[in-house]
Amino acid sequence: MLYHAAWRKVDNVPKFIRYETDPEGKRLDPIFLDLPGPPYFFAYRDAALKVFPENIFEPTDLTVNGRPVVKFVAQSPDIVPLARDAIGAVETFEADVPYPRRVLIDTGESVQMPKRYVHFDLEVDPSKGMPNEKLADMQIISIATKTNDGEERFFCRDDERAMLNEFINYMTQFPVLCSFNGNHFDWSFLLNRCRRLGIGYEWWDLHVHVDLLAVYKYVLLRRQDRYSLDHIAKEEKLKAQKRTIEIPRLMEYYYSYLDNGDQTLKDYNLDDVRVMHELDQKYQMVSTVFNIAAISHTTVKDLLRVHEQSVKEFNTSVAIDGLILHLSGKRTPRILWKTKEHRELTPEEEEARKEKYAGAHVLDPVPGVHKNVALLDVVSLYPNIIIAGNMGPETYVPEGQNPSPGDIRSPIGRGWFRKEPKSVFAEALESTLKLKADYRKKRDSLPPESEERKAVSAVYEAYKVISNAMYGVMGSDFSRYYSKDVAENITLTGQATLKFLASELERRGYKVILGDTDSVAFTMSILSHSVASTIATELTSKVQDHLEKLSGVRPTLLRLEVDKLCSAMFIQKSDVRESGTKKKYAAFVVWQGQPTFYLLTKGFQVARHDSSQAQKEFQTQGLMLNLSEATMEQKTAFCETWKRRLYAGDLDDKIVMHKGLGKNPDEYRVVPPYLRVGRKLQEEGKTVLHRGDKI
């Protein structure tokens, strides 16, 4: 089973490297092969011939923007960037695709998740403060591991080099190593410590490192007030929990373990990998990222951060890129996409980047408390707009050019889209949405705790991540697929859809109280799921009629469904306009036809993860009072009680808040208070600051 691919030169000869496991999941020695195909890219013929003689190119029948295109074929992957830069990246196509990924994209082969992998965690001497993973100048005192099938190990010796060699000898059998926050500590510290001690291990790249914290935050999009392992274990209600010990005494526990077998350090270290293992099993985290890589013909290392220069912890756009390039390469004629440029932008280009395309529409909310509220949702609005309109950068015909008979008129009146051939994005979305629905149906039919359900759920999550991200690459000016016109055709069609829904509901006599992107909320005289479902079905047909009139094609996949029913909804009045505050409401949700006191919130501090616990409790109780139509006297008494508690110091432990670093600490021009606190903690040796950390 292939789990990773790479290339390197051996005796100055480029070799393609296959990293595989045996049927039991054990890592095999790397397989060095002659290149399965030559490295290549495409370029405008006229630009290429200004730099290189014609006989080094392969002619093609392809043209882009009316200009003939040639194919540059190299003997080694490292020649590609040199030739690309000589010609000029702007004159080339797909010259930035790494060679191993190019092989997977062209052959259609995919990586597979190994049957066995291991979670690991380091404990490091804290006597000089928080260890720095870049310096790695403190001793690793122990390492705990737990395999995905439950085998636990503990490494701790009085000779650090001997312990590390023992651990490396053990880990060589595993193709995948999982850490928690390893990008910023365990994995980096391990590599740098081994280099510092002169411990030779040539094949670090044999292993795929998966930082479970990165997967938790950026793939699963799980949000927490803070991301320490002990906090997540409690919030996720895991069986495994981290025990509390005195960290300054860690070296005391270390020597006590060596001298008399005291288990404190061992138990504490193993707690980490037990929590990681359970969290991974709960969400199938490793399986999900391998499935994303498999679907997109990329490698997990392509998707996850693998070096200190990486900014992103997870690169969804790489997955979309792999899938689109794979489908484009199968077309006849082949569809070419421009090379992504990695260079400093000119001031003019930086200014142009600030000109963003039109986004989603938000209706002016109606402030106050509303009873019997139904929320309707347009399922997969943007993907279905893309599919129905055959939208894509390569099918777009701008105003001023001549469309072909049968081409699809832009629903917003800005250009056309070719009806044939099918847009690559439409093709990709049709496939991923169908498979996502199939796997969701299969998942829901399986027993909750079954291994089969877990495996199917991981595939479903992978398709969900990919389908949700598909539209975004057309709206990102960092992407090779960026098109402002196409992106605005999608978003403005979404706006038109939302406005039509609101007007149609009002025409039927319903009061629309809010609308945002792909959902609309209105009040009903009597709250009824069956009535709301009937309205959703009727509006589905009306919206399809409306968009068909605008574009000439019927979006048959587009549909509305009941998202939630609420017995009461509170919308806060805006401070700057007469309407309510946009994207900010609270509601009591109806469950199985019965009203509940479950509080749904959006936009309030109670829903933010940088709010203090006191803010959340105060606002939760206050919102519930509003929704329950409490009297002014009750509200005043409530506020006075909280005021007394605050002044008496009863809330001191609850007014702590956690703020995240959105940039690297040294990139802040204006230093906010929480960064000042972080820098003070760093000076005291209590932390080492990284982008994304919470202080």
Side-chain angles (χ1 to χ4, degrees):
M1 286 172 42
L2 180 75
Y3 71 88
H4 184 56
W7 82 275
R8 69 163 59 176
K9 284 188 174 181
V10 179
D11 296 329
N12 209 34
V13 177
K15 296 290 184 179
F16 182 70
I17 313 172
R18 295 179 63 90
Y19 298 96
E20 299 183 352
T21 61
D22 65 17
E24 301 304 315
K26 185 176 180 179
R27 184 193 62 75
L28 299 172
D29 289 336
I31 302 170
F32 289 80
L33 302 171
D34 292 335
L35 301 185
Y40 68 89
F41 65 89
F42 297 89
Y44 286 120
R45 182 178 182 275
D46 54 350
L49 295 186
K50 291 179 181 178
V51 182
F52 296 109
E54 188 168 7
N55 61 3
I56 74 166
F57 296 102
E58 291 184 5
T60 75
D61 296 327
L62 302 172
T63 61
V64 178
N65 300 323
R67 296 170 64 186
V69 170
V70 292
K71 184 178 182 181
F72 179 90
V73 178
Q75 297 299 312
S76 177
D78 54 351
I79 296 175
V80 167
L82 301 176
R84 174 196 66 207
D85 293 344
I87 297 170
V90 72
E91 304 288 347
T92 67
F93 302 89
E94 302 173 22
D96 60 306
V97 182
Y99 180 71
R101 195 190 309 166
R102 179 88 268 174
V103 171
L104 297 181
I105 287 169
D106 288 354
T107 62
E109 189 172 10
S110 295
V111 296
Q112 299 180 59
M113 188 183 78
K115 290 184 178 180
R116 293 193 80 224
Y117 56 91
V118 67
H119 306 84
F120 79 98
D121 180 76
L122 311 180
E123 296 301 335
V124 177
D125 177 3
S127 57
K128 294 182 182 179
M130 183 70 178
N132 186 308
E133 79 279 2
K134 294 180 181 178
L135 298 177
D137 56 352
M138 302 298 290
Q139 176 188 351
I140 297 175
I141 60 175
S142 69
I143 305 174
T145 67
K146 184 166 185 172
T147 64
N148 61 305
D149 52 9
E151 177 187 280
E152 294 183 352
R153 293 276 186 105
F154 180 65
F155 301 85
C156 183
R157 298 177 64 168
D158 57 359
D159 184 331
E160 184 187 11
R161 282 186 174 83
M163 180 193 69
L164 289 172
N165 279 313
E166 182 184 0
F167 170 70
I168 289 171
N169 184 58
Y170 173 70
M171 82 173 190
T172 53
Q173 65 181 296
F174 296 102
V176 177
L177 279 75
C178 302
S179 67
F180 190 87
N181 197 34
N183 287 342
H184 298 299
F185 189 70
D186 299 79
W187 181 246
S188 297
F189 197 101
L190 176 65
L191 269 63
N192 290 331
R193 184 64 179 169
C194 287
R195 293 185 185 115
R196 189 181 183 98
L197 295 177
I199 296 174
Y201 180 54
E202 182 183 1
W203 291 103
W204 288 109
D205 59 354
L206 287 172
H207 309 283
V208 175
H209 169 239
V210 177
D211 185 340
L212 296 182
L213 177 58
V215 179
Y216 187 82
K217 290 171 68 174
Y218 301 111
V219 181
L220 302 179
L221 302 180
R222 301 285 296 176
R223 294 290 175 256
Q224 297 288 355
D225 293 342
R226 55 190 185 275
Y227 291 101
S228 62
L229 197 54
D230 57 340
H231 180 76
I232 289 176
K234 291 173 184 174
E235 291 298 307
E236 293 287 352
K237 298 179 173 56
L238 303 180
K239 292 179 182 178
Q241 295 287 325
K242 282 195 65 173
R243 69 198 68 206
T244 301
I245 67 168
E246 298 177 62
I247 299 298
R249 296 179 60 193
L250 208 57
M251 293 304 291
E252 178 185 329
Y253 300 135
Y254 167 64
Y255 291 120
S256 183
Y257 173 82
L258 295 177
D259 294 341
N260 55 42
D262 180 84
Q263 298 294 294
T264 304
L265 174 63
K266 180 179 180 180
D267 290 339
Y268 178 74
N269 203 173
L270 283 169
D271 281 347
D272 286 324
V273 291
R274 288 164 181 162
V275 171
M276 289 161 54
H277 176 269
E278 188 177 346
L279 190 67
D280 174 32
Q281 293 295 306
K282 179 176 180 177
Y283 290 113
Q284 294 295 294
M285 300 165 83
V286 175
S287 181
T288 297
V289 293
F290 265 92
N291 279 315
I292 293 171
I295 292 165
S296 58
H297 306 287
T298 57
T299 70
V300 171
K301 284 190 178 184
D302 284 334
L303 303 177
L304 296 176
R305 176 185 186 270
V306 293
H307 53 76
E308 293 176 356
Q309 287 70 39
S310 297
V311 175
K312 291 186 176 181
E313 302 280 344
F314 177 69
N315 298 292
T316 318
S317 60
V318 172
I320 305 304
D321 194 43
L323 180 57
I324 295 299
L325 289 176
H326 173 69
L327 294 174
S328 299
K330 293 170 65 177
R331 293 291 185 90
T332 304
R334 178 180 186 140
I335 299 172
L336 298 180
W337 300 98
K338 63 184 180 181
T339 298
K340 287 193 292 186
E341 294 184 82
H342 303 279
R343 60 180 177 82
E344 292 292 327
L345 299 180
T346 65
E348 293 76 15
E349 288 171 327
E350 282 283 5
E351 193 63 30
R353 283 195 59 228
K354 297 177 183 178
E355 184 186 347
K356 297 297 183 182
Y357 62 90
H361 184 61
V362 181
L363 302 177
D364 286 334
V366 179
V369 177
H370 306 277
K371 299 294 185 181
N372 300 334
V373 177
L375 281 85
L376 301 184
D377 180 64
V378 185
V379 180
S380 300
L381 175 61
Y382 286 172
N384 283 319
I385 287 172
I386 293 168
I387 292 169
N390 202 37
M391 294 183 181
E394 84 282 19
T395 58
Y396 181 61
V397 181
E399 295 289 338
Q401 294 187 17
N402 296 322
S404 301
D407 282 352
I408 302 167
R409 180 62 173 160
S410 159
I412 62 167
R414 188 190 298 180
W416 292 262
F417 292 91
R418 302 287 186 198
K419 189 172 183 179
E420 297 292 343
K422 183 174 289 187
S423 152
V424 180
F425 279 87
E427 179 186 355
L429 280 166
E430 281 183 350
S431 173
T432 53
L433 289 176
K434 181 183 182 304
L435 289 165
K436 173 187 165 187
D438 290 346
Y439 277 99
R440 180 178 182 177
K441 184 177 180 180
K442 185 176 181 180
R443 178 200 66 183
D444 295 344
S445 70
L446 295 168
E449 299 302 322
S450 67
E451 291 302 314
E452 187 180 2
R453 182 185 174 111
K454 291 178 181 178
V456 169
S457 180
V459 182
Y460 164 75
E461 288 295 333
Y463 279 113
K464 178 181 174 182
V465 169
I466 289 174
S467 60
N468 287 347
M470 197 80 69
Y471 151 75
V473 298
M474 288 189 280
S476 168
D477 53 5
F478 289 105
S479 165
R480 71 173 89 248
Y481 310 104
Y482 174 65
S483 170
K484 183 173 184 288
D485 282 326
V486 175
E488 285 196 328
N489 258 290
I490 298 165
T491 55
L492 292 176
T493 300
Q495 287 191 22
T497 301
L498 183 62
K499 291 174 184 176
F500 176 80
L501 282 172
S503 64
E504 185 64 22
L505 283 165
E506 289 171 349
R507 188 186 67 79
R508 293 171 176 231
Y510 295 104
K511 181 180 180 181
V512 176
I513 60 171
L514 63 84
D516 184 0
T517 310
D518 56 1
S519 62
V520 62
F522 61 97
T523 57
M524 305 174 67
S525 56
I526 299 175
L527 203 59
S528 165
H529 192 280
S530 62
V531 173
S533 295
T534 300
I535 294 170
T537 301
E538 292 173 352
L539 287 178
T540 294
S541 180
K542 289 288 185 181
V543 170
Q544 290 177 353
D545 290 343
H546 177 66
L547 292 178
E548 185 176 15
K549 288 178 182 177
L550 294 176
S551 66
V553 294
R554 190 171 186 82
T556 54
L557 298 177
L558 190 147
R559 75 179 194 281
L560 279 87
E561 62 180 27
V562 179
D563 182 19
K564 294 178 183 70
L565 298 180
C566 305
S567 58
M569 177 177 285
F570 168 68
I571 299 174
Q572 183 173 297
K573 189 179 185 305
S574 172
D575 294 331
V576 296
R577 59 175 69 88
E578 289 302 314
S579 66
T581 304
K582 294 182 177 181
K583 298 179 179 288
K584 196 170 188 179
Y585 60 83
F588 283 145
V589 176
V590 171
W591 176 250
Q592 294 182 341
Q594 299 299 317
T596 70
F597 287 104
Y598 173 77
L599 187 67
L600 168 71
T601 59
K602 183 173 182 178
F604 286 101
Q605 280 79 5
V606 66
R608 291 177 58 95
H609 294 288
D610 57 357
S611 301
S612 69
Q613 188 61 33
Q615 281 178 290
K616 293 180 179 183
E617 291 180 10
F618 173 81
Q619 197 168 70
T620 296
Q621 295 170 22
L623 288 170
M624 294 180 80
L625 281 174
N626 267 345
L627 289 166
S628 303
E629 296 184 299
T631 65
M632 185 56 68
E633 290 76 15
Q634 290 171 316
K635 293 178 182 179
T636 301
F638 165 76
C639 291
E640 287 297 326
T641 299
W642 272 86
K643 182 177 178 181
R644 285 195 299 272
R645 291 179 64 198
L646 178 64
Y647 288 175
D650 296 343
L651 302 177
D652 285 358
D653 290 341
K654 293 187 175 183
I655 59 176
V656 175
M657 64 180 67
H658 297 82
K659 301 287 287 187
L661 292 176
K663 297 180 286 189
N664 289 319
D666 56 358
E667 292 177 354
Y668 283 82
R669 294 181 181 178
V670 178
V671 180
Y674 57 89
L675 180 54
R676 290 203 296 271
V677 171
R679 286 179 174 174
K680 184 175 181 182
L681 292 172
Q682 188 166 262
E683 289 171 3
E684 295 172 355
K686 296 178 180 178
T687 189
V688 175
L689 296 177
H690 307 91
R691 179 181 180 271
D693 285 353
K694 287 204 170 187
I695 300 170

